[in-house]
């Protein structure tokens, strides 16, 4: 079925993915690539066994109101009220005075389907994980996401003689998304419709009004407004041959019998057609009308079609019921009529064709499949053109080249406070855990394994604290924050904290390094409370597994970093390091800084290793130091890797809070420090500039800024019980899902209560 135009007809059927020869693709000036691969629509090629089609399962639904606002519920579902056999409905009643038509010039693409996915993504992932026997991940468990109408066009293509189509397909995180593009012919037909055509379109909608009620026991509101903006849509999951499909389609109504089977088997399609008076009219009805009705109903598993046959004046003279499963029997005696097997096989082969050619996983690359009657299906590739249809609010790209622009504004961080955590992780609103740097010799030969494991008390990493300690600091210093914000804005102190984001420095570090990260993904939970977005990390399954299966060597090397701090820090400015003390990772001193990245006002906290003990040192955070350890560098390759990977994370971690110096202890394989080097944070970018294809601070900061903009644009609901979970895996896009009252909620009740209903001090 896959075909090359320069091959003979006899070699049309290919069972392997297509490849492009050097002369088969041409890049044009308009930003797209023309290709020569095509897919035949000749019916005889698809006259084989009926393909496997799994019984569709409804996984959800949604409603669109009179203004096309999305609701993740069934508020627009209507119930069928069976009419008389010859009801004489006057379908022109109310036209045009009670007719509100949707603006068809506004192209919604598959946006409503995407909104449903975001609102129900966790359910999809859990469902897929259960079916696959795996852990829930970012995989939606489907190969294609689209509208039912787009699949209907594919099913009817082998028999279509008048209308062509264009379907845009893009790949994101392994899933192919498919959306229709209006052809020039379709646009012209839409813009030049006759008044009679518009009236006949109204007749179909009016028939629905005559036969549907808002509640199971109600009667139809025959005198109401016909509003085509309103819709109820089912979302079903199924499989056609090897293709796992998720698609949505509008549903006219459901059976109001409480004993009716579950959806989609309780749904009904409502149709109108001209009354049939001659054998020729019946034959045409079977050949053309029933083909589209069958395809539209068969795909989502709708079992019945209710047809109102009307005269030329729009009066319904009879009503007939068609069983979707029996339509193929109804048309079998028609000469050279359509064949359901051909329809389904062509659709299946088109999906295979699309999967074989849509290789690049990038929502800015769109494969535009086009077809005209009596032609082959062909496609072209478009990059960053008007055909891109996945909206910015659905994904965020991590491609580095998108962020190679001017360095964004980053305001000098200002320390607004600090706090300490003791050996039992108890919070103190002071600097009791602050330590002072004691400069070692150039080659100190510190034995970093000393005290391991007998003098090592590790924090329980299984206990997830979220951002609780930052929240405690905010409650203890809230008035200072509000007064500071009021002074900066010239307003009166209020409950506004004056920041857009509150988080840990480590979460921002992950964002800065994302464009260059190739191994570790992340999940960040974001919620909005009184206008401020709070961001907390969620442990991924991979991270949890790595933590729980760490080797003894890995644990020991983690200890080495803490031990180096013990060798180089004192509890008092004039003190000496306590080299034989217990290394307790529960203890911490944290700075709280305020800054601005582009338009985003940030408040974040990060652990500080120590400060310069010179009394003439500048004020915090410029007096702070980061202490690090790394394997000694013995070869040019090791130095290159150190620049590419280690310095990226060190720079990000220090640049964000404004820490000016990093003290690095280089150790041998036995954990003995052989040298100590100092790195100026501001000069690290100069140090790595000669490395080929190395990381760029500009890319890091611009990506972080764009992620924050992305988060602000999608985290709209101001409700701490609603969490937007952003997830990313290397070589993928950033995506998100929405969760209500789930385990992802992270703002504790004691904080929400205090921040929303502060106690009044008399």
């Amino acid at each position: 079925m896959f075909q090359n135009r320069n091959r003979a007809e006899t070699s049309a059927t290919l069972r392997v993915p297509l490849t492009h020869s050097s002369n088969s693709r041409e890049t044009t000036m308009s930003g797209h690539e023309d290709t020569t691969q095509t897919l035949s629509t000749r019916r005889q090629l698809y006259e084989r066994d009926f393909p496997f089609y799994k019984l569709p399962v409804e996984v959800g639904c949604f409603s669109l109101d009179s203004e096309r606002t999305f609701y993740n519920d069934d508020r627009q579902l209507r119930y069928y009220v069976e009419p008389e056999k010859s009801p004489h409905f006057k379908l022109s009643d109310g036209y045009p005075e009670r007719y509100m038509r949707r603006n068809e010039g506004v192209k919604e693409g598959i946006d409503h389907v995407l909104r449903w996915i975001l609102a129900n993504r966790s359910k999809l992932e859990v469902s897929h994980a259960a079916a696959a026997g795996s852990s829930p991940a970012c995989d939606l468990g489907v190969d294609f996401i689209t509208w039912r109408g787009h699949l209907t066009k594919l099913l009817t293509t082998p028999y279509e003689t008048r209308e062509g189509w264009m379907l845009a397909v893009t790949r994101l995180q392994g899933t192919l998304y498919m959306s229709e593009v209006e052809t020039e012919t379709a646009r012209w037909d839409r813009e030049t419709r006759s008044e009679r055509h518009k009236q006949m379109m109204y007749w179909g909608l009016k028939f629905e009004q005559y036969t549907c009620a808002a509640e199971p026991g109600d009667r139809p509101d025959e005198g109401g407004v016909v509003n085509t903006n309103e819709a109820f849509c089912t979302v079903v999951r199924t499989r056609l041959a090897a293709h796992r499909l998720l698609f949505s389609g509008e549903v006219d109504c459901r059976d109001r019998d409480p004993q009716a089977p579950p959806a989609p088997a309780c749904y009904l399609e409502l149709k109108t057609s001209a009354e049939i008076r001659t054998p020729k009219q019946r034959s045409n009805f079977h050949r053309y009308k029933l083909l589209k009705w069958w395809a539209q109903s068969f795909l989502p598993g709708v079992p019945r079609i209710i047809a109102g046959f009307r005269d030329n004046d729009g009066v319904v003279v009879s009503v007939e019921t068609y069983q979707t499963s029996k339509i193929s029997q109804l048309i079998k005696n028609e000469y050279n009529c359509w064949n359901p097997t051909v329809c389904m096989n062509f659709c299946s082969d088109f999906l295979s064709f699309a999967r074989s050619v849509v290789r690049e996983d990038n929502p800015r690359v769109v494969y535009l499949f086009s077809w005209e009657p009596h032609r082959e299906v062909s496609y072209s590739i478009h990059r960053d053109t008007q055909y891109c249809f996945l909206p910015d609010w659905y994904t965020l790209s991590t491609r580095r080249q998108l962020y190679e622009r001017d360095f964004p504004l980053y305001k000098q961080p200002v320390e607004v406070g600090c706090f300490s955590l003791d050996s039992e992780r108890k919070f103190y609103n002071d600097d009791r855990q602050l330590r002072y740097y004691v400069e070692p010799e150039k080659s100190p030969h510190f034995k970093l394994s000393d005290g391991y494991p007998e003098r090592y008390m590790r924090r329980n990493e299984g206990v997830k604290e979220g951002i609780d300690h930052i929240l405690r600091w905010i409650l203890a210093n809230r008035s200072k924050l509000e007064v500071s914000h009021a002074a900066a804005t010239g307003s009166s102190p209020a409950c506004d904290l004056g920041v857009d984001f509150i988080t840990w420095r480590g979460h921002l570090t992950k964002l800065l390094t994302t464009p260059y990260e190739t191994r570790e993904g992340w999940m960040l939970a974001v919620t909005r409370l009184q206008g401020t977005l709070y961001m907390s990390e969620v442990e991924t399954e991979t991270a949890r597994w790595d933590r729980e299966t760490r080797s003894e060597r890995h644990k020991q090397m983690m200890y080495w970093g803490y031990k180096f701090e013990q060798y180089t820090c004192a509890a008092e400015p004039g003190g000496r390091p306590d080299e034989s003390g217990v290394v307790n990772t529960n203890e911490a001193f944290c700075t709280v800084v305020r800054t601005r990245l582009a338009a985003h006002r940030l408040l974040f906290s990060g652990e500080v290793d120590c400060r310069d003990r010179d009394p003439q040192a500048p004020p915090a955070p410029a007096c702070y130091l980061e202490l690090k350890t790394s394997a000694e560098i013995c070869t040019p390759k090791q130095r290159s890797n150190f620049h590419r990977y280690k310095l990226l994370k060190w720079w990000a971690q220090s640049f964000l809070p404004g820490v000016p110096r990093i003290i690095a202890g280089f150790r041998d394989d036995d954990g003995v420090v052989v040298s100590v080097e100092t790195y100026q944070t501001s000069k690290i970018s100069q140090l790595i500039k000669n490395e080929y294809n190395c990381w760029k601070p500009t890319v890091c900061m611009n990506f972080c800024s764009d992620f924050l903009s992305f988060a602000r644009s999608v985290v709209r609901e101001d409700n701490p019980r609603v969490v937007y979970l952003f997830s990313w895996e290397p070589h993928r896009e950033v995506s998100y899902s929405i969760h209500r009252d789930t385990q992802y909620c992270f703002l504790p009740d004691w904080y929400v209560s205090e921040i929303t209903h502060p106690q009044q001090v008399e």
Side-chain angles (χ1 to χ4, degrees):
M1 257 54 67
F2 301 143
Q3 185 171 344
N4 254 323
R5 288 181 183 146
N6 60 355
R7 291 182 179 236
E9 292 284 280
T10 54
S11 63
T13 302
L14 302 178
R15 293 298 181 189
V16 295
L18 295 177
T19 57
H20 295 281
S21 61
S22 59
N23 61 354
S24 67
R25 178 182 290 178
E26 179 183 357
T27 303
T28 70
M29 293 298 288
S30 58
H32 75 271
E33 300 168 14
D34 291 323
T35 61
T36 59
Q37 281 76 26
T38 63
L39 175 69
S40 175
T41 58
R42 289 186 300 142
R43 303 169 193 170
Q44 58 266 42
L45 295 174
Y46 304 101
E47 290 177 346
R48 52 183 193 265
D49 290 342
F50 196 91
F52 172 77
Y53 191 63
K54 192 173 182 180
L55 185 65
V57 175
E58 183 178 71
V59 292
C61 63
F62 60 87
S63 296
L64 304 175
D65 71 7
S66 59
E67 296 180 350
R68 301 294 283 179
T69 301
F70 172 93
Y71 293 92
N72 187 35
D73 57 35
D74 65 355
R75 67 184 63 191
Q76 292 292 341
L77 176 60
R78 295 177 297 173
Y79 297 82
Y80 179 59
V81 179
E82 188 171 4
E84 299 174 4
K85 194 67 175 176
S86 302
H88 295 284
F89 294 146
K90 296 178 180 178
L91 300 182
S92 292
D93 180 54
Y95 182 84
E97 63 274 7
R98 297 200 308 274
Y99 185 25
M100 186 174 291
R101 290 173 53 201
R102 182 166 74 86
N103 184 352
E104 296 176 84
V106 175
K107 300 305 175 186
E108 297 171 331
I110 59 171
D111 286 7
H112 294 306
V113 186
L114 302 181
R115 289 186 176 93
W116 182 88
I117 290 171
L118 294 180
N120 298 274
R121 183 169 180 172
S122 58
K123 180 166 51 174
L124 275 180
E125 291 169 353
V126 169
S127 172
H128 170 56
S134 60
S135 300
C138 62
D139 184 6
L140 296 175
V142 294
D143 302 309
F144 286 88
I145 292 172
T146 190
W147 281 110
R148 181 261 313 270
H150 305 346
L151 297 175
T152 299
K153 284 188 183 293
L154 293 175
L155 262 68
T156 59
T157 292
Y159 299 96
E160 180 59 62
T161 58
R162 296 180 58 199
E163 298 177 359
W165 48 253
M166 292 195 295
L167 292 172
V169 182
T170 194
R171 184 185 290 269
L172 174 64
Q173 297 189 344
T175 295
L176 275 70
Y177 294 76
M178 183 162 63
S179 183
E180 188 174 14
V181 175
E182 188 176 42
T183 64
E184 279 299 303
T185 301
R187 183 190 61 79
W188 188 88
D189 288 346
R190 172 174 57 81
E191 293 177 349
T192 59
R193 280 182 194 138
S194 66
E195 188 60 30
R196 174 69 171 175
H197 189 168
K198 295 176 183 177
Q199 186 179 38
M200 291 173 70
M201 292 175 65
Y202 173 84
W203 288 351
L205 302 165
K206 185 65 179 181
F207 180 66
E208 296 176 18
Q209 189 183 70
Y210 272 118
T211 55
C212 293
E215 299 295 337
D218 289 355
R219 298 298 302 168
D221 178 15
E222 300 174 4
V225 173
V226 172
N227 190 328
T228 62
N229 288 298
E230 298 172 347
F232 167 76
C233 298
T234 182
V235 182
V236 300
R237 197 170 192 161
T238 184
R239 184 156 68 89
L240 170 57
H243 313 295
R244 301 169 298 169
L245 310 179
L246 180 79
F247 60 87
S248 179
E250 187 171 349
V251 171
D252 295 328
C253 59
R254 66 155 287 158
D255 191 326
R256 63 175 175 175
D257 183 351
Q259 303 303 315
C266 62
Y267 293 146
L268 303 173
E269 276 290 336
L270 303 180
K271 299 293 183 184
T272 57
S273 185
E275 61 180 326
I276 299 171
R277 295 178 175 178
T278 68
K280 178 64 173 175
Q281 288 174 336
R282 183 167 299 281
S283 178
N284 286 341
F285 174 73
H286 285 171
R287 287 175 179 278
Y288 307 115
K289 192 80 78 168
L290 277 187
L291 167 57
K292 294 185 178 180
W293 290 6
W294 169 82
Q296 193 176 26
S297 300
F298 179 79
L299 281 167
V302 174
R304 285 186 294 160
I305 303 166
I306 311 298
F309 291 92
R310 46 88 191 157
D311 61 21
N312 287 335
D313 295 323
V315 177
V316 176
V317 295
S318 66
V319 176
E320 300 288 340
T321 299
Y322 293 88
Q323 302 293 328
T324 306
S325 61
K326 295 181 179 179
I327 288 178
S328 59
Q329 295 297 311
L330 195 63
I331 55 110
K332 70 177 182 179
N333 294 325
E334 290 284 351
Y335 174 71
N336 198 27
C337 198
W338 58 274
N339 184 341
T341 296
V342 170
C343 299
M344 294 297 285
N345 278 323
F346 174 76
C347 183
S348 175
D349 281 19
F350 174 84
L351 299 179
S352 297
F353 182 47
R355 289 176 75 177
S356 72
V357 298
V358 182
R359 309 303 298 173
E360 189 166 350
D361 202 303
N362 181 351
R364 304 304 298 172
V365 178
V366 170
Y367 295 70
L368 187 63
F369 294 83
S370 57
W371 175 77
E372 288 296 329
H374 316 298
R375 298 289 184 89
E376 313 278 304
V377 177
S378 60
Y379 74 96
S380 53
I381 306 172
H382 303 258
R383 299 173 184 274
D384 293 304
T385 67
Q386 75 273 22
Y387 296 120
C388 295
F389 61 90
L390 288 186
D392 292 339
W393 49 257
Y394 189 67
T395 63
L396 175 69
S397 176
T398 58
R399 288 186 298 145
R400 302 169 194 170
Q401 57 267 39
L402 295 176
Y403 304 102
E404 290 180 346
R405 52 183 191 263
D406 290 344
F407 198 91
L409 168 73
Y410 190 63
K411 195 172 181 180
Q412 183 70 36
V414 174
E415 183 177 73
V416 291
C418 63
F419 60 87
S420 297
L421 304 175
D422 70 8
S423 60
E424 296 180 350
R425 301 295 285 180
K426 186 176 179 181
F427 172 92
Y428 293 91
N429 187 33
D430 57 35
D431 65 356
R432 67 183 65 192
Q433 291 292 341
L434 176 60
R435 293 177 298 173
Y436 297 82
Y437 179 60
V438 178
E439 188 172 4
E441 299 174 3
K442 194 69 174 175
S443 301
H445 294 285
F446 294 145
K447 296 179 180 179
L448 300 181
S449 291
D450 180 53
Y452 182 84
E454 62 275 5
R455 298 198 308 275
Y456 184 26
M457 185 174 292
R458 289 172 54 202
R459 182 167 76 85
N460 184 353
E461 295 175 85
V463 175
K464 300 305 174 186
E465 298 172 331
I467 59 171
D468 286 8
H469 295 306
I470 306 175
L471 303 181
R472 290 187 176 92
W473 181 88
I474 290 172
L475 293 184
N477 298 272
R478 183 175 175 181
S479 58
K480 180 168 48 174
L481 273 180
E482 291 170 352
V483 168
S484 172
H485 172 55
T489 59
S491 61
S492 300
C495 61
D496 183 5
L497 297 176
V499 294
D500 302 309
F501 287 88
I502 292 172
T503 190
W504 280 110
R505 180 262 313 269
H507 304 346
L508 297 174
T509 299
K510 283 187 184 291
L511 293 175
L512 261 68
T513 60
T514 292
Y516 299 97
E517 181 59 59
T518 59
R519 296 181 58 198
E520 298 177 0
W522 46 254
M523 291 196 296
L524 292 172
V526 182
T527 194
R528 183 185 290 269
L529 177 63
Q530 294 195 336
T532 296
L533 277 69
Y534 295 76
M535 183 162 62
S536 181
E537 187 174 15
V538 175
E539 188 174 41
T540 65
E541 280 297 304
T542 301
R544 183 191 61 78
W545 188 87
D546 288 345
R547 171 173 58 81
E548 293 177 351
T549 60
R550 281 182 192 140
S551 65
E552 188 59 31
R553 173 69 171 176
H554 190 168
K555 294 175 184 177
Q556 186 179 39
M557 291 172 73
M558 290 176 67
Y559 172 84
W560 288 351
Y562 296 115
K563 186 65 178 180
F564 181 66
E565 295 176 19
Q566 190 183 65
Y567 272 118
T568 54
C569 293
E572 300 294 336
R576 298 297 302 167
D578 179 12
E579 300 175 4
S580 61
V582 172
V583 171
N584 190 328
T585 62
N586 288 294
E587 299 172 346
F589 168 76
C590 298
T591 182
V592 181
V593 301
R594 196 170 193 161
T595 183
R596 184 156 68 91
L597 171 57
H600 313 295
R601 300 168 298 169
L602 310 179
L603 180 78
F604 61 87
S605 178
E607 187 171 349
V608 171
D609 295 328
C610 60
R611 65 154 290 159
D612 191 325
R613 63 176 176 175
D614 183 350
Q616 302 303 314
C623 61
Y624 293 145
L625 305 172
E626 275 289 335
L627 303 180
K628 299 292 183 184
T629 58
S630 186
E632 61 180 326
I633 298 170
C634 301
T635 67
K637 177 66 174 175
Q638 289 174 337
R639 183 167 299 281
S640 179
N641 286 341
F642 174 74
H643 287 170
R644 287 177 179 276
Y645 308 113
K646 190 81 80 169
L647 278 187
L648 167 57
K649 294 187 178 180
W650 289 6
W651 168 82
Q653 193 176 26
S654 300
F655 179 78
L656 280 167
V659 173
R661 285 186 293 159
I662 304 166
I663 312 298
F666 290 92
R667 46 88 190 156
D668 60 24
D669 287 343
D670 295 321
V672 176
V673 176
V674 295
S675 65
V676 176
E677 299 289 340
T678 299
Y679 293 90
Q680 302 292 327
T681 304
S682 61
K683 294 181 179 178
I684 287 177
S685 59
Q686 294 297 309
L687 195 61
I688 56 111
K689 69 176 181 179
N690 293 325
E691 289 284 347
Y692 173 72
N693 200 27
C694 200
W695 58 274
K696 297 178 181 179
T698 294
V699 169
C700 299
M701 294 297 285
N702 278 322
F703 173 76
C704 184
S705 175
D706 281 18
F707 173 85
L708 298 178
S709 296
F710 181 49
R712 289 176 75 176
S713 70
V714 299
V715 182
R716 308 303 298 174
E717 190 166 349
D718 202 301
N719 182 352
R721 304 305 299 171
V722 177
V723 170
Y724 296 71
L725 186 62
F726 295 83
S727 58
W728 175 77
E729 289 294 330
H731 315 298
R732 297 289 183 93
E733 310 288 307
V734 177
S735 59
Y736 73 96
S737 53
I738 307 171
H739 305 260
R740 296 175 184 273
D741 294 303
T742 67
Q743 74 274 21
Y744 297 120
C745 295
F746 62 90
L747 289 186
D749 291 341
W750 50 261
Y751 180 77
V752 173
S753 176
E754 179 60 28
I755 211 76
T756 55
H757 302 95
Q759 295 181 0
Q760 299 298 320
V761 179
E762 295 183 2

